[in-house]
Amino acid sequence: MANLLRRLLGPSESGRIQAAVNDYLQQWMRNGPLIIPTMPNYPKIDQKGSVEEGYCKNTDVYSIISRKARMASGIPLYVYRVKGKEGRKRLREYKALMTGEKFTRESIMNAQMIKVKAMEEVEEDHPLNQLLQHPNATTSQAEFMEQCYGFLDITGNTYIYKESPNMGANQGKPKQICTLPSQYMSIVPDGLGPSIGVQGYIFFLWGNIGIEKKDIIHIKYFNPDYQPDGSHLYGMPPLRAGAKTLSRSNSAVDSSTAQFQHGGPAGMIYNKSIQPDDQSNQQVGALKKKWEAETWGNMNRGKILFSAGDLGYLQTGLSPVDLQILESEKYTFRQLCRLFNVPSAIFNDNDHATMNNMEQFYKAAYTDGVIPMVVKMRDALNSFLLPDFGGEGEYFIDADYSSIPVLQEDMKTLTEWLDKSWEITPNERRELKKFGRLTDPNMDKVWMPANLSTMEDLTMPAEDISGDLDELDQAKLNPYR
């Protein structure tokens, strides 16, 4: 180092610089290194980054998204037949109730009552019902929906490919549907300007495979990032907004893991007898390599070392306790849960959860996070899958929310509520209880509370008794004359 400076700057100047460097090194050895603050490094979160840096590498992100996707996939989808003109009117009311920001058990119960008046389940052998139950040869409906909901929360996008015959009686009717990995999908814009739309798609995992717009159902989250290249056509990954929280979570794990592997917080070991020159720097380098080989890793934890010379140690980092890593991890996990609209209590965050209020947290998970995602899926299937079967306006794809135990009243409470609701027909009561309809025509009539008479009986005209009164007059038995 000194020889290089002498050749470049001359003897006098190089001596002055060398002295300044030595003085700095002496201060460094005595007082510790100068810490220069740096800006944190945040990962780039795009379609691929959200998969690789988020879901595949962060245990908290994986736990939240996979749990939420499984909860949503447990809500089955069926095909219903709309009950004529009155049914279509009721259907609009039902959709309005199930599209709100906040769902409650009461609002869902009211929506289900309107639903049974609006539509009825169709046969299981209906082609669209069969497709929903068996989307393709390798996945069930629950597995297929878990993939759809998972990709939506990870990347902000879900792409469903519809495979349809190009000819024959079933031309254009999908025979199977499957999810495509969002991180390998590209959207082809149809032009430029404010009204830019989608012309088609490219699947680029195995080369560039073009896919027509009509063969893709694209479900996405809102993306306000408008760019000339049509970037707003993609949904925005939630982790893009949470990139700093994700980085904080990863840094907490990396920091605690590094300190566990290296035996404690960062520090500096120095030999008091070594002066800072070229030869001593080589000695320090050799000592560093030996220290790393002898101490790093779990196999060397607690190992006793031997070294010549008067050694000193200067701690330059903080311990996990001082950094409050555990508390920071709790806070970060709650931030991630907020990002995906689920309460952290359902993941064993017991600071605010007890056995008495766990049911309320599960209700919040469904009403705030799961059901809005299911409604988004339902609307997409009705808009882009149902018309392929020619049933638009006559049929409707909907979720069966009765499979969510925490949102349903127990059977006794439901029965008591139905007994007071005389405006509901017996068949509608059976549908709400999931007992199925009966063919008896009386089961489709509204029964009034007065001795369970029908409305037709109560509105019958009064019987004419004038002849009876004349007979009583002739027999002089009329008490009113």
Side-chain angles (χ1 to χ4, degrees):
M1 178 70 171
N3 294 333
L4 177 61
L5 290 172
R6 188 177 294 108
R7 287 197 301 268
L8 292 175
L9 303 174
S12 59
E13 187 66 17
S14 67
R16 187 182 66 81
I17 294 177
Q18 183 65 46
V21 171
N22 290 339
D23 182 62
Y24 172 76
L25 290 174
Q26 291 290 346
Q27 294 181 22
W28 187 21
M29 297 294 287
R30 289 193 302 268
N31 304 322
L34 177 64
I35 305 299
I36 302 177
T38 58
M39 292 299 294
N41 183 25
Y42 297 118
K44 179 183 179 182
I45 299 299
D46 53 13
Q47 305 294 308
K48 196 170 184 179
S50 59
V51 175
E52 296 179 349
E53 299 298 326
Y55 189 78
C56 293
K57 288 186 179 181
N58 187 285
T59 55
D60 290 341
V61 172
Y62 172 84
S63 299
I64 296 169
I65 294 179
S66 61
R67 181 75 170 276
K68 186 179 173 186
R70 287 195 303 271
M71 292 170 69
S73 65
I75 304 175
L77 294 170
Y78 297 106
V79 180
Y80 295 83
R81 181 182 291 106
V82 181
K83 299 177 181 179
K85 183 178 179 180
E86 182 65 22
R88 285 191 288 272
K89 178 181 177 182
R90 294 283 188 174
L91 179 58
R92 289 193 293 270
E93 297 176 13
Y94 169 73
K95 291 170 66 177
L97 280 174
M98 294 303 297
T99 312
E101 170 65 23
K102 184 73 174 178
F103 298 97
T104 63
R105 186 166 57 182
E106 291 73 19
S107 67
I108 292 176
M109 180 62 70
N110 291 335
Q112 293 306 302
M113 188 171 69
I114 295 176
K115 178 179 177 178
V116 298
K117 292 181 175 293
M119 48 192 174
E120 58 187 3
E121 290 187 31
V122 303
E123 315 73 41
E124 291 186 2
D125 59 354
H126 188 280
L128 186 51
N129 244 345
Q130 289 291 313
L131 182 64
L132 291 176
Q133 298 306 311
H134 306 284
N136 53 67
T138 60
T139 57
S140 64
Q141 182 185 114
E143 292 172 323
F144 173 78
M145 289 301 168
E146 185 177 355
Q147 294 172 9
C148 292
Y149 297 132
F151 276 121
L152 184 60
D153 260 351
I154 297 170
T155 67
N157 298 270
T158 290
Y159 298 90
I160 301 175
Y161 175 65
K162 301 183 293 183
E163 184 178 339
S164 309
N166 294 324
M167 59 183 66
N170 293 320
Q171 180 180 359
K173 292 184 178 180
K175 62 180 183 179
Q176 68 175 12
I177 51 178
C178 60
T179 55
L180 298 177
S182 305
Q183 67 271 34
Y184 296 108
M185 291 294 293
S186 178
I187 298 176
V188 181
D190 62 1
L192 297 174
S195 60
I196 184 173
V198 178
Q199 181 177 353
Y201 300 86
I202 296 177
F203 179 47
F204 56 88
L205 180 58
W206 299 291
N208 291 333
I209 302 175
I211 304 176
E212 294 186 54
K213 177 182 177 181
K214 66 179 181 62
D215 293 330
I216 291 291
I217 301 175
H218 183 196
I219 308 165
K220 61 182 179 179
Y221 285 141
F222 169 64
N223 184 1
D225 184 17
Y226 274 64
Q227 299 294 337
D229 60 355
S231 61
H232 63 281
L233 299 175
Y234 298 87
M236 190 180 88
L239 284 174
R240 181 178 174 186
K244 294 183 178 181
T245 305
L246 175 65
S247 180
R248 176 180 178 142
S249 176
N250 289 336
S251 298
V253 175
D254 292 342
S255 177
S256 58
T257 302
Q259 295 200 28
F260 277 124
Q261 291 179 346
H262 299 162
M268 177 187 297
I269 296 175
Y270 58 91
N271 193 323
K272 299 178 181 179
S273 61
I274 296 179
Q275 297 298 320
D277 54 30
D278 290 344
Q279 184 176 359
S280 63
N281 288 338
Q282 294 177 2
Q283 294 176 351
V284 171
L287 180 61
K288 177 183 176 183
K289 291 180 180 179
K290 182 179 179 181
W291 177 267
E292 293 175 351
E294 295 287 339
T295 63
W296 284 16
N298 293 327
M299 296 298 295
N300 293 322
R301 189 180 303 278
K303 190 173 182 179
I304 299 176
L305 304 178
F306 299 88
S307 179
D310 185 8
L311 300 181
Y313 176 76
L314 177 66
Q315 181 175 322
T316 60
L318 297 177
S319 67
V321 175
D322 294 331
L323 286 173
Q324 296 185 326
I325 289 180
L326 293 180
E327 290 300 318
S328 175
E329 286 182 337
K330 283 185 181 181
Y331 172 79
T332 304
F333 179 70
R334 291 167 184 168
Q335 290 288 94
L336 289 172
C337 286
R338 185 186 304 173
L339 187 67
F340 293 100
N341 297 310
V342 290
S344 62
I346 68 173
F347 298 94
N348 298 323
D349 182 6
N350 298 324
D351 286 357
H352 306 290
T354 65
M355 293 303 295
N356 295 328
N357 61 12
M358 278 302 296
E359 183 177 347
Q360 299 300 321
F361 286 114
Y362 273 103
K363 290 176 185 177
Y366 276 105
T367 57
D368 296 348
V370 174
I371 291 180
M373 191 163 59
V374 174
V375 170
K376 183 180 286 288
M377 173 65 66
R378 177 204 71 183
D379 291 345
L381 294 178
N382 279 297
S383 297
F384 303 108
L385 181 61
L386 181 63
D388 294 334
F389 291 84
E392 195 172 10
E394 183 181 357
Y395 295 97
F396 187 75
I397 300 172
D398 195 34
D400 181 7
Y401 300 103
S402 65
S403 60
I404 310 175
V406 295
L407 295 183
Q408 300 303 316
E409 297 281 3
D410 57 63
M411 188 59 68
K412 179 182 177 181
T413 305
L414 177 62
T415 303
E416 292 175 353
W417 178 74
L418 290 174
D419 286 342
K420 299 176 182 179
S421 303
W422 59 265
E423 70 278 8
I424 302 177
T425 68
N427 262 338
E428 290 171 341
R429 297 167 190 253
R430 292 180 61 86
E431 285 184 311
L432 283 171
K433 295 180 180 180
K434 299 301 173 183
F435 289 162
R437 300 175 66 87
L438 296 179
T439 57
D440 187 343
N442 288 320
M443 298 298 288
D444 290 316
K445 295 180 178 179
V446 176
W447 293 79
M448 301 292 289
N451 297 324
L452 297 180
S453 300
T454 64
M455 294 182 67
E456 296 172 351
D457 294 338
L458 294 178
T459 56
M460 291 178 61
E463 184 179 354
D464 186 7
I465 60 172
S466 57
D468 295 334
L469 292 175
D470 292 339
E471 292 179 2
L472 291 174
D473 286 339
Q474 293 175 2
K476 297 181 180 182
L477 296 176
N478 191 339
Y480 299 102
R481 293 185 182 278

